[in-house]
Amino acid sequence: MNDDADLMRRVAGGESDAFRSLVERYERTGYHFFLRLTGNPEDAEDLTQELFIAIFRSAGRYRPDAPFKAFFYRIASNLSASHLRKKRLRTAPSIDEMVERGFDAASTRHEDDPALSLGGREMRRRYEEALADLPRDWRIALELRVTGELTYEEIAGAMGKSASAVESILVRARERIAEKLEER
Amino acid sequence: MDCRKFRRMVSRQLDGALDGASRADLESHLSSCTGCRRFRDLSLAGLSMHRSVKEADPPRSLFPSILAAVEVGPRWRWNGGWLRAAVPAAAAAAAVLGVWVGGLIHESYAPATAGNQADVLELTYLDEYPPGSMGDILMTSNGGGGDEQR
């Protein structure tokens, strides 16, 4: 049994120390995931709290043979979908917010391509707008893949879709983003 | 030329899920298809930007607020077989104790006996004013007519 599975077994048994360790280990991951999706620190904070409360309450239903990461992101995805449905967030975070959150300008410069060397800020603004304009499920799938680093199968499990459907979503999301990035 | 198939391969390549044979096919296609090459470059740029976002520090208040939100949970959860048996047993014990204590109280406040009834009747002396009291003085100053007035 791996560390996470053991922690979850102890959480299910009501050990508060185990829950504390689990929060310490994954609080940052959850917060970052929600911040990427919502672009709003307060919402990200609320959702992270809801996430851990849900994990605590459903610890007894966790199966140790499945990766904890998949369990974690399944709950996170459901919370995100519900939140985005309620708020209908279509607004991209401002570039200043993105910079504040730590966008690394130097790592995204493509000097050899006119379209990609627009400058870090403009390119990022377009990228974040394109992300924000994606349908809800597409955004979540992309975030699970890129930020959560889940496999297609794990994303499928988290979102209640087939792996093939997840792959199709990711292709369409990337095509949509590429179109937005090319718009002049 | 089926560009959809190759764009799916590009996406799979970005996700590190493209096998070697497919990669050779893809490279061959990209060398002759400007549109797919463009798609690959822009998708790669997008992935690079996405990954360049550093993890933000959660607010310090988050950790304690999460713990506080579930603090009472472990102590009161029905998570052990012994607890399921212990709680009804404790309830039964409390009921027996309640009946016993109730019996004791009932005995202490039992209906008055004949002797007690006599004592209660003796309280009629309270209708009279004790010697030296203001009532007695007033009655005396009225010429002892108190008995007649009462």
Side-chain angles (χ1 to χ4, degrees), chain A residues 77-151:
Chain A
S77 300
N78 289 338
L79 287 170
S80 301
S82 171
H83 178 81
L84 294 174
R85 194 181 304 121
K86 276 187 272 184
K87 287 217 154 186
R88 296 184 183 280
L89 288 179
R90 308 294 290 176
T91 310
S94 74
I95 192 64
D96 289 336
E97 286 173 333
M98 298 310 298
V99 169
E100 195 176 314
R101 278 189 250 147
F103 252 139
D104 179 4
S107 70
T108 56
R109 293 183 68 84
H110 297 263
E111 303 289 356
D112 56 336
D113 187 316
L116 301 182
S117 60
L118 286 167
R121 291 172 71 88
E122 173 61 14
M123 192 69 175
R124 284 186 196 92
R125 187 188 61 76
R126 286 190 189 184
Y127 183 73
E128 291 300 325
E129 281 180 359
L131 268 184
D133 280 341
L134 291 177
R136 187 178 63 239
D137 279 359
W138 297 16
R139 285 183 68 189
I140 292 173
L142 198 60
E143 213 60 57
L144 289 172
R145 174 67 210 119
V146 180
T147 303
E149 298 183 339
L150 266 61
T151 64

Side-chain angles (χ1 to χ4, degrees), chain B residues 46-150:
Chain B
L47 183 64
S48 171
M49 282 188 280
H50 207 127
R51 286 186 173 152
S52 70
V53 182
K54 293 171 189 162
E55 282 195 358
D57 287 327
R60 289 181 179 213
S61 59
L62 181 59
F63 184 73
S65 69
I66 291 169
L67 296 183
V70 298
E71 192 181 27
V72 296
R75 276 179 267 164
W76 298 103
R77 290 178 65 212
W78 290 71
N79 57 359
W82 68 271
L83 195 57
R84 288 194 180 88
V87 170
V96 169
L97 188 65
V99 169
W100 180 65
V101 171
L104 290 178
I105 293 170
H106 182 73
E107 283 177 21
S108 300
Y109 292 94
T113 61
N116 286 340
Q117 281 175 348
D119 292 340
V120 171
L121 292 173
E122 288 292 324
L123 293 178
T124 51
Y125 77 90
L126 288 176
D127 288 340
E128 299 173 3
Y129 298 107
S133 69
M134 187 59 73
D136 183 49
I137 295 166
L138 287 172
M139 292 301 292
T140 306
S141 63
N142 286 339
D147 288 343
E148 292 166 12
Q149 289 177 359
R150 274 184 275 166

